[in-house]
């Protein structure tokens, strides 16, 4: 399999046809960068374990918080405003110094890596406020996602276009001319251009209409079922739990409830407190 055959996400025995109907293969999973430590046997694919930490020298925002996502699955983080959902994502991505706890990816301890090296190690992160460049074309924005690659990334770009046809139709337009939902798709596409092994999305549906949200969720399901694990923060807790293999309810920076999306939707306290009854 050539580098050009590479697609989003990871490797091995997954059926990529869900995302990638033309049968192109997966990347080899050997990319590594920076100091990585030993992982632990039986780890989930990505885990931020027992994370405690805050911003700068400020107080702890996260308290012994554990978030994980398994291969090919969707994990969602929900919870009230200010619960620490984005902070947990930032901690997993290395934007926050952990006073305790660790982050492990694909069996390697990456707690010591900075965000840039985490991207090289295979983490794709779309922050809450996506930093799409409005005056650049869609294509140029996507190309920026390939900055860590030395191979010909055009095949991956075509796969992003297959995944998001509305974006493909506007590839030569300035990204600033796109709708909010389309811009989110560009942001996700740009993260996919790095060929991540795991995709992290902080409120991907923020500010988009319910129809666009459904479309985006469909695509996220396709990405995960194609083998690329997805970890996301969502304000739309009910909809998120419906597609979640694993859901985490955070309250005041700590794990309050954890289970499959279905389990949590049937949990009386979760329903009453977070899902409006
Ligand atoms: N850059 C920062 N510096 C200091 N404190 C911060 C910073 N960002 C967030 N916080 C604080 O961390 C706490 C958790 O914020 P965070 O954004 O993680 O919550 P959230 O659950 O994602 O909230 P929301 O649902 O409103 O987006 C809040 O008290 C917030 O004020």
């Amino acid at each position: 399999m050539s580098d050009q055959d590479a697609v989003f996400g990871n490797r091995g025995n997954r059926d990529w046809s869900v995302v990638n109907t033309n049968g192109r293969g997966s990347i080899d999973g050997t990319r590594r960068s920076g100091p990585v430590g030993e992982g632990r046997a039986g780890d989930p694919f990505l885990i931020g374990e027992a994370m405690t930490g805050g911003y700068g020298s400020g107080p702890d925002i996260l308290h012994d918080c554990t978030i994980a996502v398994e291969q090919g699955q969707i994990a969602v983080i929900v919870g009230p405003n200010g619960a620490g959902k984005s902070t947990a994502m930032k901690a997993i991505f290395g934007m926050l110094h952990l006073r305790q706890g660790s982050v492990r990816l694909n069996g390697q301890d990456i707690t010591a890596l900075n965000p840039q090296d985490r991207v090289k190690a295979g983490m794709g992160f779309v922050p809450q406020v996506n930093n799409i460049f409005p005056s650049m074309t869609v294509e140029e924005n996507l190309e920026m996602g390939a900055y860590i690659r030395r191979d010909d990334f055009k095949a991956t770009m075509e796969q992003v276009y297959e995944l998001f046809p509305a974006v493909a139709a506007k590839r030569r337009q300035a990204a600033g001319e796109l709708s909010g939902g389309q811009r989110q798709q560009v942001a996700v596409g740009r993260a996919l251009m790095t060929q991540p092994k795991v995709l992290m999305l902080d409120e991907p549906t923020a500010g988009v209409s319910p129809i666009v949200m459904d479309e985006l969720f469909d695509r996220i399901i396709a990405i995960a079922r194609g083998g690329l694990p997805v970890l996301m923060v969502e304000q739309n807790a009910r909809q998120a739990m419906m597609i979640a293999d694993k859901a985490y309810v955070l309250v005041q920076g700590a794990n309050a409830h954890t289970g499959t999306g279905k389990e949590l939707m049937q949990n009386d306290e979760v329903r009453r407190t977070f899902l409006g009854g």
Side-chain angles (χ1 to χ4, degrees):
M1 188 182 302
S2 74
D3 279 345
Q4 285 191 4
D5 289 332
V7 291
F8 335 128
N10 52 56
R11 44 237 41 117
N13 54 7
R14 293 286 162 182
D15 174 11
W16 283 102
S17 59
V18 184
V19 172
N20 173 27
T21 50
N22 60 9
R24 289 190 286 257
S26 59
I27 61 177
D28 63 14
T30 55
R31 262 185 307 125
R32 282 273 172 262
S33 155
V36 288
E38 288 294 307
R40 291 186 199 161
D43 258 358
F45 190 73
L46 171 66
I47 180 166
E49 186 169 57
M51 298 182 292
T52 294
Y55 294 90
S57 57
D60 287 341
I61 303 291
L62 299 177
H63 305 276
D64 201 21
C65 175
T66 293
I67 305 284
V69 60
E70 302 276 358
Q71 193 70 269
Q73 293 200 346
I74 298 172
V76 302
I77 309 174
V78 298
N81 289 123
K85 304 181 294 295
S86 295
T87 303
M89 293 289 263
K90 288 178 193 165
I92 292 171
F93 192 58
M95 295 167 70
L96 197 75
H97 174 69
L98 286 181
R99 293 174 188 136
Q100 281 176 52
S102 63
V103 180
R104 302 191 299 279
L105 172 68
N106 200 10
Q108 302 277 344
D109 190 328
I110 58 164
T111 316
L113 297 190
N114 63 32
Q116 197 172 6
D117 283 335
R118 288 187 203 212
V119 172
K120 290 178 185 164
M123 298 178 88
F125 182 42
V126 180
Q128 197 172 85
V129 179
N130 72 52
N131 43 358
I132 290 301
F133 296 97
S135 59
M136 291 168 64
T137 66
V138 165
E139 190 123 316
E140 286 164 349
N141 270 282
L142 290 179
E143 279 174 12
M144 292 196 66
Y147 76 100
I148 64 164
R149 298 174 55 177
R150 267 173 275 148
D151 61 335
D152 179 354
F153 52 80
K154 292 290 179 197
T156 313
M157 190 176 282
E158 285 310 314
Q159 288 163 352
V160 169
Y161 288 146
E162 279 173 34
L163 192 63
F164 298 122
V167 165
K170 303 203 169 182
R171 65 179 79 184
R172 311 242 182 273
Q173 275 178 242
E177 295 169 14
L178 271 57
S179 70
Q182 290 165 348
R183 258 178 285 187
Q184 276 298 67
Q185 293 180 4
V186 174
V188 174
R190 194 171 63 183
L192 292 172
M193 289 295 293
T194 64
Q195 293 185 307
K197 298 173 190 168
V198 61
L199 184 61
M200 297 171 56
L201 308 171
D202 192 349
E203 294 202 30
T205 65
V208 305
S209 69
I211 290 178
V212 174
M213 179 176 74
D214 286 348
E215 275 175 16
L216 203 50
F217 276 1
D218 274 354
R219 301 293 78 207
I220 289 168
I221 292 169
I223 289 168
R225 297 300 171 251
L228 178 59
V230 178
L231 170 63
M232 66 177 181
V233 169
E234 253 304 326
Q235 283 289 357
N236 300 294
R238 185 179 292 276
Q239 288 87 344
M241 283 190 191
M242 284 167 69
I243 67 165
D245 297 294
K246 192 80 170 269
Y248 297 87
V249 178
L250 291 196
V251 177
Q252 295 183 354
N255 294 91
H257 302 274
T258 303
T260 65
K262 235 183 210 169
E263 281 166 357
L264 293 198
M265 286 179 82
Q266 288 165 357
N267 177 310
D268 282 343
E269 196 193 330
V270 172
R271 286 166 66 126
R272 204 176 47 248
T273 319
F274 302 105
L275 301 177

